[in-house]
Amino acid sequence: MNNPTEKMRIFSGIQPSGILTLANYLCALKRFVELQDAGHECVYCVVDLHAMTVWQEPVALRNAIRHAAAAFLAAGIDPQRSILFNQSQVPAHAELAWILNCVARMGWMGRMTQFKEKAGKDRENASVGLFTYPSLMAADILVYHATHVPVGDDQKQHLELTRDIAIKFNHDYRLDFFPVIEPIIEGETTRIMSLRDGTRKMSKSDASDYSRINLTDTAEQIAKKIRRARSDPHPLPGSEFELTGRPEARNLLGIYALLANSSMESVLDRFGGKMFSQLKSELTELAVAVLEPISSEMKRLADDPTELDRILGSGAERATSVAEPVLQKTYDIVGLLQSRRP
Ligand code: AQP
């Protein structure tokens, strides 16, 4: 648990690789808002360059960038208090990523499970960007000298790699320049699983729309998806021990706990011995109540793309003013000549 009085500089991002999901909300956006509201200095980014590591149709990508920005705002990110922008508007990310590519080792990248999962069996055909994705992620964080990074559990390995890159850079150049970041992966449920398979993570790019709840889903769509969510034939478990080997039960109960801001223990107490149908009906009611204000605000914001672009542009200017001096100092440390830059 973090010390609430400690001043932290937070960085995190979300890829505009599709419509944001309930998992993005519960394990990322909701936490981002809590950290902002706790008074920390927060930099939040729509990581559009990361989304490009797999093919994106250009018009759809542009829409998805605005849609993701709308999701941040609708969830409660205040662009006055937090810096909110899209990554490609701040070139320092890609520039630092090149330097960090030269620090990171092939072996480190080769061990990344996200690359293995996304590249699948056809690894020869995966983009080089997908392979070097973690260096860009390290640059996103380190270019702000961020100290803490809130993410879902699926990003833990990439954050460990960010630490390794920072440590190696500091060691190679005999300086204490990049902070060794701390991940913020807190709570009892840090990974939300697919509604169709409790052993696979809920993902916005999953081929099946029934595997996830999108932040833009209507009440009817949410109800239908939860009704169809995979379950098992037994009554719901009443203790943490009984959850073993019941991934679908664990997932739905975990989602309920996060939406209700309650502990897993109290949710197990409430539903232990009951049928899945009861959990599904109460979960639907709760999910609709939490998501409805967010989706209607997203809809309202989406109707004004000029305002969204203005917010992202002004966030990018603020982000640049933090990132550029760090990049310049990095160029200086590694011995690059920058006579034309102020
Ligand atoms: N299923 C999940 N459970 C917990 N956290 C999750 N996050 C995403 N899915 C889950 C968290 O959301 C933040 C943004 O993730 P991202 O969109 O940048 O990348 P991702 O983790 O690869 O998410 P997706 O939905 O699976 O995207 P695609 O399908 O494009 O690969 C991160 O903090 C992540 O941990």
Side-chain angles (χ1 to χ4, degrees):
M1 193 67 186
N2 299 296
N3 173 358
T5 57
E6 184 190 356
K7 187 78 183 161
M8 309 192 278
R9 181 177 281 177
I10 309 290
F11 176 90
S12 201
I14 296 191
Q15 294 186 74
S17 45
I19 296 174
L20 270 55
T21 68
L22 180 65
N24 295 134
Y25 174 68
L26 291 175
C27 297
L29 289 173
K30 193 166 177 256
R31 301 238 155 93
F32 298 172
V33 174
E34 286 162 5
L35 289 160
Q36 165 192 271
D37 293 349
H40 298 295
E41 196 182 341
C42 298
V43 183
Y44 294 131
C45 187
V46 178
V47 286
D48 46 11
L49 297 174
H50 281 284
M52 289 187 63
T53 54
V54 295
W55 165 252
Q56 304 289 335
E57 199 281 315
V59 174
L61 177 59
R62 199 163 296 127
N63 286 335
I65 294 167
R66 293 190 180 116
H67 155 89
F72 273 89
L73 297 166
I77 295 302
D78 172 357
Q80 305 299 324
R81 284 188 287 158
S82 297
I83 298 181
L84 175 65
F85 67 105
N86 59 309
Q87 186 186 28
S88 60
Q89 293 208 65
V90 182
H93 290 238
E95 289 184 67
L96 182 62
W98 178 257
I99 295 190
L100 301 186
N101 265 333
C102 300
V103 174
R105 306 288 93 183
M106 291 287 286
W108 299 357
M109 296 290 179
R111 284 193 280 279
M112 294 297 110
T113 49
Q114 180 170 292
F115 173 73
K116 291 182 196 159
E117 281 167 16
K118 287 200 172 175
K121 291 204 174 69
D122 196 9
R123 218 177 269 195
E124 292 287 307
N125 210 19
S127 75
V128 176
L130 189 64
F131 186 70
T132 61
Y133 180 114
S135 299
L136 179 56
M137 182 162 161
D140 296 336
I141 299 164
L142 297 177
V143 84
Y144 297 99
H145 272 197
T147 57
H148 291 77
V149 186
V151 284
D153 179 67
D154 60 310
Q155 291 298 328
K156 193 172 173 192
Q157 198 186 26
H158 286 160
L159 292 189
E160 279 160 8
L161 193 113
T162 299
R163 288 168 65 98
D164 290 343
I165 290 176
I167 291 167
K168 180 161 165 48
F169 182 97
N170 291 346
H171 176 266
D172 289 353
Y173 294 98
R174 296 184 188 83
L175 283 166
D176 192 14
F177 183 60
F178 286 123
V180 179
I181 51 129
E182 286 297 330
I184 305 181
I185 308 174
E186 281 170 357
E188 294 171 301
T189 301
T190 53
R191 190 181 292 229
I192 308 287
M193 310 312 278
S194 159
L195 299 180
R196 307 301 289 162
D197 177 352
T199 62
R200 285 198 2 246
K201 81 165 190 165
M202 182 181 285
S203 186
K204 58 177 120 60
S205 59
D206 192 298
S208 165
D209 193 49
Y210 279 97
S211 67
R212 59 179 170 263
I213 292 173
N214 304 310
L215 294 187
T216 51
D217 281 345
T218 62
E220 291 70 37
Q221 285 170 316
I222 294 172
K224 201 164 170 189
K225 287 177 178 182
I226 294 179
R227 211 166 40 244
R228 286 205 190 176
R230 187 190 276 186
S231 53
D232 62 44
H234 308 292
L236 288 160
S239 69
E240 181 64 35
F241 175 74
E242 291 172 77
L243 280 174
T244 314
R246 313 259 324 254
E248 280 78 25
R250 177 184 287 279
N251 192 35
L252 295 184
L253 291 164
I255 294 174
Y256 187 97
L258 283 174
L259 284 167
N261 293 316
S262 33
S263 67
M264 193 61 151
E265 196 185 356
S266 72
V267 173
L268 285 165
D269 273 354
R270 178 177 178 135
F271 291 104
K274 307 222 162 88
M275 301 310 291
F276 266 93
S277 54
Q278 180 162 351
L279 169 62
K280 285 182 172 184
S281 117
E282 291 190 34
L283 180 59
T284 300
E285 214 174 292
L286 183 59
V288 170
V290 172
L291 295 184
E292 203 284 322
I294 297 174
S295 61
S296 54
E297 178 63 0
M298 282 174 70
K299 219 179 200 167
R300 191 190 67 76
L301 291 162
D303 285 341
D304 192 355
T306 313
E307 175 59 6
L308 285 173
D309 293 1
R310 190 198 61 74
I311 291 171
L312 291 174
S314 116
E317 273 176 33
R318 288 170 65 202
T320 301
S321 70
V322 184
E324 196 59 28
V326 175
L327 179 71
Q328 290 310 313
K329 181 73 187 156
T330 311
Y331 280 148
D332 190 40
I333 290 170
V334 302
L336 296 174
L337 189 65
Q338 295 289 299
S339 55
R340 283 185 305 132
R341 281 176 112 141

